[in-house]
């Protein structure tokens, strides 16, 4: 498989590099949901559902479309709406789980270990856009890898992938909140000003502002 030589800072790795060193981590499901909101697919299917239903109703009133075609459009619109609703419910559930983890307290200190580049830019066929962005000098998307403290066999966790201004590794520790049974449900809070000002009130208390992502 073709590879592209990329010079990265000493503390920046690809997922493949870290896996070869025995460092693996579950995806940041909860933090990603809070950072980016409902998925793009959820938004697209929601818009398509509205368009389909509105168009079918308009065509039905004007009588400019066969009745069978209008029925098909309405069924498709309902299916899109159901898909969008399911995805929104799943996102909302993740926000609620995140909120409960934060409100429960008992965060464990976690130390920043490295920056991990999104995807695997060494594999040109698989991540050509990432390679092209780096070669062109564009800012990459990276996540911070954190190592839990206070245990002889620490586990590793990451923040959501973000576009970075530079390659700086955070200097302070973060707080790690873990679900009691599902390892991919966890929260890494690495903004202590945000931790101090966070209010438990409100249904979306577990969400973060776009400025933090």
């Amino acid at each position: 498989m073709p590879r592209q030589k990329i010079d990265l800072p000493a503390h920046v790795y690809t997922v493949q590099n870290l896996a070869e060193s025995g460092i693996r981590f579950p995806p940041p499901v909860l933090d990603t949901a809070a950072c980016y909101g409902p998925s793009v697919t959820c938004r697209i299917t929601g818009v398509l559902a509205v368009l389909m239903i509105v168009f079918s109703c308009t065509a039905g009133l004007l009588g400019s479309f066969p009745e069978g075609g209008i029925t098909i459009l309405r069924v498709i619109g309902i299916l899109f709406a159901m898909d969008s609703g399911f995805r929104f419910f799943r996102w909302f559930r993740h926000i609620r789980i995140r909120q409960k983890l934060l409100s429960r307290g008992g965060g464990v200190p976690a130390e920043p270990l490295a920056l991990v580049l999104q995807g695997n830019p060494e594999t040109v066929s698989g991540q050509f856009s990432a390679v092209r962005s780096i070669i062109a000098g564009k800012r990459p998307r990276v996540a911070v890898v954190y190592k839990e403290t206070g245990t002889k066999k620490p586990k590793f966790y990451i923040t959501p992938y973000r576009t970075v201004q530079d390659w700086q590794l955070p200097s302070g520790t973060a707080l790690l909140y873990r679900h009691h049974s599902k390892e991919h449900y966890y929260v890494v809070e690495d903004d202590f000003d945000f931790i101090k000002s966070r209010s438990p009130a409100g249904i979306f208390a577990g969400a973060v502002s776009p400025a933090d992502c």
Side-chain angles (χ1 to χ4, degrees):
M1 194 173 288
R3 290 180 176 271
Q4 172 71 41
K5 176 64 176 177
I6 300 173
D7 294 324
L8 296 174
H11 59 279
V12 180
Y13 304 89
T14 65
V15 174
Q16 180 180 341
N17 295 150
L18 294 176
E20 291 171 352
S21 301
I23 299 175
R24 295 178 174 82
F25 36 79
V29 175
L30 303 183
D31 284 342
T32 299
C35 190
Y36 295 109
S39 66
V40 175
T41 304
C42 173
R43 301 175 192 183
I44 291 176
T45 54
V47 171
L48 289 176
V50 172
L51 291 177
M52 288 287 185
I53 294 174
V54 169
F55 180 77
S56 63
C57 291
T58 303
L61 291 174
L62 297 177
S64 58
F65 213 72
E67 188 63 31
I70 293 176
T71 301
I72 291 174
L73 288 177
R74 287 176 178 171
V75 170
I76 294 175
I78 292 172
L79 292 176
F80 275 135
M82 293 174 61
D83 180 81
S84 180
F86 171 76
R87 294 176 187 276
F88 182 85
F89 173 78
R90 184 171 58 183
W91 167 80
F92 180 78
R93 179 171 173 269
H94 288 160
I95 292 298
R96 294 291 292 172
I97 293 174
R98 187 177 190 272
Q99 178 186 3
K100 289 180 179 179
L101 289 180
L102 292 173
S103 63
R104 190 174 62 189
V108 177
E111 300 175 345
L113 181 68
L115 297 181
V116 58
L117 196 66
Q118 187 175 33
N120 181 18
E122 293 180 349
T123 306
V124 177
S125 60
Q127 293 291 335
F128 180 74
S129 60
V131 174
R132 184 173 54 192
S133 297
I134 295 173
I135 294 175
K138 296 181 180 179
R139 292 178 296 174
R141 289 172 59 83
V142 302
V144 182
V145 181
Y146 281 93
K147 180 180 70 173
E148 68 173 331
T149 61
T151 177
K152 293 182 179 179
K153 294 183 178 180
K155 294 183 179 180
F156 303 92
Y157 303 88
I158 64 171
T159 62
Y161 286 97
R162 299 162 178 164
T163 300
V164 297
Q165 300 288 342
D166 50 45
W167 298 101
Q168 291 294 325
L169 186 67
S171 57
T173 58
L175 288 181
L176 171 66
Y177 302 85
R178 294 172 297 189
H179 192 274
H180 62 88
S181 61
K182 298 180 179 179
E183 69 168 5
H184 61 287
Y185 283 171
Y186 64 89
V187 179
V188 175
E189 282 205 326
D190 54 357
D191 186 342
F192 285 93
D193 290 333
F194 176 68
I195 294 172
K196 294 175 184 177
S197 63
R198 172 165 44 83
S199 170
I203 198 168
F204 294 107
V208 297
S209 67
D212 297 316
C213 300

